């Protein structure tokens, strides 16, 4: 059964950010606003935390409370509407909530920075490789859920193509190229697909050589979503043995960005990285072992 968990989209996040800004500019706490606006405190809490979709009547009531002009009211009411579009389609896949949240942020973001120490980034995975990854990391899922998770990974690759052309910068540990997933032929197709992705003008792929020594990525893989909105902070994402975490605290996002910048300096250039991938592909094609 497809999950119906609400995942905030960028228009809703922007709406709440603007409403919070207005509340703070008026010097009001959430409790003050509830008392003065006559809106139920629980409803206001749900709105500001975005645990549920915005309720249009509540947004309109706040517009009236702040005495906003017609144009501003119309803008906020438009942001409160249900979000539709090509990238609102993850609900048709039977996905884990955190996976759906990741894909939603990826689809709404202006750019993604990712460092991967163990795997090819999901956005750059070929089908047989993705199947091997999901079977390994999500073995507790049903066969149908595994199939749908892989299908969603294939669908999300459209983010890199026009008209969206998501800006994507991936730093991949060299060891990932050596780790054979999906069999020899599957890995060959994966490396070919990775090479094709490096030709896209909006994609940067850098390989971090094993010879780099100690580096900021030793703590593990992470991603950063950027949204290009003054009121919307960027998000950092980390996945480990005990779960998936999204974090928008400024200090944590800044640390991740600093670490990513350091890794980009240590990594091979995009052209050098392409050569490293080609060399690994050539070795794999000449390797006589099966699998």
């Amino acid at each position: 059964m497809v999950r119906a968990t609400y995942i905030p989209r960028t228009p809703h996040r922007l709406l709440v950010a603007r409403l919070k800004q207005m509340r703070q500019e008026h010097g009001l706490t959430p409790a003050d606003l509830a008392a003065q606006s006559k809106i139920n405190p629980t409803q206001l809490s749900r709105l500001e935390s975005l645990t549920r979709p915005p309720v249009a009547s509540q947004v309109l009531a706040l517009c009236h409370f702040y005495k906003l002009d017609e144009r501003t009211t119309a803008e906020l009411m438009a942001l409160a509407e249900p979000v539709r579009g090509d990238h609102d389609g993850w609900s048709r896949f039977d996905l884990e909530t955190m996976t759906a949240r990741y894909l939603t942020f990826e689809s709404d973001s202006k750019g993604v920075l990712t460092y991967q120490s163990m795997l090819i980034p999901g956005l750059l995975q070929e089908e047989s490789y993705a199947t091997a990854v999901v079977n390994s990391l999500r073995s507790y899922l049903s066969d149908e859920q595994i199939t749908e998770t892989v299908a969603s990974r294939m669908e999300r690759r459209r983010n890199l193509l026009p008209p969206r052309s998501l800006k994507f910068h991936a730093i991949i540990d060299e060891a990932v190229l050596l780790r054979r997933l999906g069999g020899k032929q599957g890995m060959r197709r994966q490396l070919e697909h990775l090479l094709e992705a490096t030709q896209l003008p909006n994609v940067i792929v850098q390989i971090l050589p094993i010879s780099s020594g100690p580096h900021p990525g030793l703590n593990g893989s992470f991603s950063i979503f950027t949204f290009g909105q003054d009121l919307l902070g960027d998000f950092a994402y980390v996945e480990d043995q005990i779960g998936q975490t999204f974090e928008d605290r400024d200090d944590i996002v800044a640390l991740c960005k600093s670490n990513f910048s350091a890794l980009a300096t240590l990594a091979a250039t995009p052209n050098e990285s392409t050569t490293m991938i080609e060399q690994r592909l050539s070795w794999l094609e000449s390797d006589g072992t099966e699998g």
Side-chain angles (χ1 to χ4, degrees):
M1 181 178 180
V2 177
R3 291 162 173 76
T5 302
Y6 170 65
I7 300 173
R9 301 294 305 279
T10 292
H12 292 172
R13 292 178 57 227
L14 183 57
L15 166 68
V16 169
R18 291 181 64 176
L19 290 175
K20 284 184 179 179
Q21 183 182 54
M22 291 177 191
R23 174 174 60 74
Q24 292 165 354
E25 288 174 347
H26 282 74
L28 299 173
T29 66
D32 293 334
L33 179 58
Q36 295 182 32
S37 68
K38 309 300 182 183
I39 298 178
N40 184 285
T42 300
Q43 293 176 334
L44 277 178
S45 176
R46 288 172 178 166
L47 177 61
E48 289 208 354
S49 63
L50 270 181
T51 55
R52 297 183 183 181
V55 177
S57 60
Q58 295 170 9
V59 175
L60 183 60
L62 289 173
C63 290
H64 291 160
F65 174 78
Y66 291 125
K67 297 181 171 58
L68 302 181
D69 58 38
E70 290 185 6
R71 178 178 178 179
T72 305
T73 297
E75 290 175 355
L76 294 182
M77 293 303 294
L79 291 174
E81 293 178 357
V83 181
R84 307 295 183 192
D86 291 342
H87 300 292
D88 191 35
W90 303 118
S91 60
R92 73 181 186 274
F93 294 102
D94 190 2
L95 303 174
E96 294 178 292
T97 297
M98 295 302 283
T99 299
R101 183 180 295 273
Y102 186 101
L103 297 187
T104 298
F105 279 167
E106 185 177 78
S107 294
D108 280 351
S109 63
K110 298 294 183 182
V112 177
L113 310 175
T114 188
Y115 166 68
Q116 295 295 321
S117 62
M118 301 299 291
L119 299 168
I120 300 293
L123 201 54
L124 302 180
Q125 290 179 7
E126 182 273 336
E127 187 170 2
S128 58
Y129 184 96
T131 300
V133 170
V134 175
N135 273 308
S136 177
L137 298 182
R138 301 289 187 269
S139 58
Y140 52 84
L141 296 179
S142 67
D143 291 344
E144 181 181 355
Q145 287 175 312
I146 288 176
T147 297
E148 298 226 344
T149 300
V150 172
S152 71
R153 291 199 178 197
M154 299 302 99
E155 175 73 13
R156 66 193 279 209
R157 297 190 304 188
R158 293 174 53 199
N159 282 312
L160 297 177
L161 304 176
R164 177 151 160 68
S165 300
L166 172 71
K167 293 182 179 180
F168 187 67
H169 186 170
I171 301 175
I172 306 171
D173 194 283
E174 184 182 8
V176 173
L177 304 183
L178 309 179
R179 186 171 295 110
R180 189 179 297 185
L181 295 176
K184 178 181 177 180
Q185 295 307 314
M187 194 63 193
R188 178 181 60 78
R189 289 192 295 270
Q190 175 59 71
L191 294 179
E192 290 174 343
H193 180 72
L194 187 59
L195 285 173
E196 291 174 2
T198 65
Q199 302 305 306
L200 295 173
N202 50 303
V203 173
I204 297 174
V205 173
Q206 290 183 266
I207 304 300
L208 182 68
I210 294 175
S211 60
S212 296
H215 57 76
L218 293 178
N219 279 334
S221 304
F222 63 93
S223 298
I224 303 165
F225 301 95
T226 60
F227 295 92
Q229 295 275 2
D230 291 340
L231 289 178
L232 293 184
D234 297 334
F235 271 82
Y237 168 86
V238 177
E239 181 175 4
D240 56 27
Q241 291 290 335
I242 60 175
Q244 299 158 277
T245 303
F246 293 89
E247 182 58 70
D248 63 351
R249 276 177 46 189
D250 291 343
D251 57 335
I252 292 179
V253 174
L255 175 62
C256 289
K257 287 183 176 180
S258 176
N259 287 343
F260 187 87
S261 178
L263 288 166
T265 299
L266 290 171
T269 67
N271 286 339
E272 292 169 342
S273 298
T274 296
T275 298
M276 294 174 70
I277 298 169
E278 290 172 340
Q279 290 173 342
R280 177 58 184 170
L281 178 60
S282 178
W283 181 91
L284 192 62
E285 290 176 336
S286 63
D287 177 25
T289 61
E290 298 296 327

